[in-house]
Amino acid sequence: MIHVDKEGTWFHRGAPIIHQGILQLFYRSIRQDEQGRYLLVLKEQTCVLEVEDTPFVIAQTTLMPPDHEAPNERIVVRLVDGTEEMLDPATLTVGADHVLYCTVQK
């Protein structure tokens, strides 16, 4: 069984997965089914991914100043898989224990 805890740490049979190459492969292989379950889809194999909260955790935020492309300040979020994207403030919600959530384009 593969499990992702609420901090975004991946585990296989209780042992943390720390190999960055494997983690990157897993992040690229995440899909969601019609019921909202997370799946790992690797070639012909599909595995249900047990996710405590969300597999994509924000590791860093950066406030970008206005420039010639964007007249307003904006926030770039870097996810634990190393990808970056602009934060859409309209997607922000507050969850349990005042944890902020946003929608990412994964």
Side-chain angles (χ1 to χ4, degrees):
M1 177 181 83
I2 299 176
H3 170 83
V4 182
D5 73 8
K6 68 180 181 177
E7 301 298 323
T9 303
W10 290 61
F11 296 87
H12 180 255
R13 296 184 181 167
I17 301 172
I18 58 173
H19 189 280
Q20 289 304 306
I22 291 172
L23 288 171
Q24 290 301 315
L25 174 64
F26 285 174
Y27 278 118
R28 289 190 309 269
S29 303
I30 294 175
R31 306 290 181 271
Q32 264 188 305
D33 67 10
E34 305 81 41
Q35 292 82 33
R37 294 180 307 171
Y38 290 101
L39 308 172
L40 282 181
V41 180
L42 299 160
K43 296 189 180 185
E44 293 86 36
Q45 294 189 345
T46 300
C47 164
V48 173
L49 178 61
E50 299 290 330
V51 178
E52 195 171 319
D53 192 0
T54 179
F56 295 103
V57 175
I58 294 174
Q60 179 181 355
T61 59
T62 304
L63 180 63
M64 303 296 291
D67 59 24
H68 66 280
E69 292 181 21
N72 298 316
E73 291 179 328
R74 58 216 185 276
I75 297 174
V76 173
V77 294
R78 177 182 297 244
L79 304 175
V80 293
D81 68 346
T83 60
E84 293 183 344
E85 57 186 77
M86 294 293 176
L87 171 67
D88 178 357
T91 69
L92 284 172
T93 59
V94 179
D97 298 323
H98 307 287
V99 174
L100 282 174
Y101 293 88
C102 68
T103 301
V104 294
Q105 301 302 313
K106 300 311 259 175

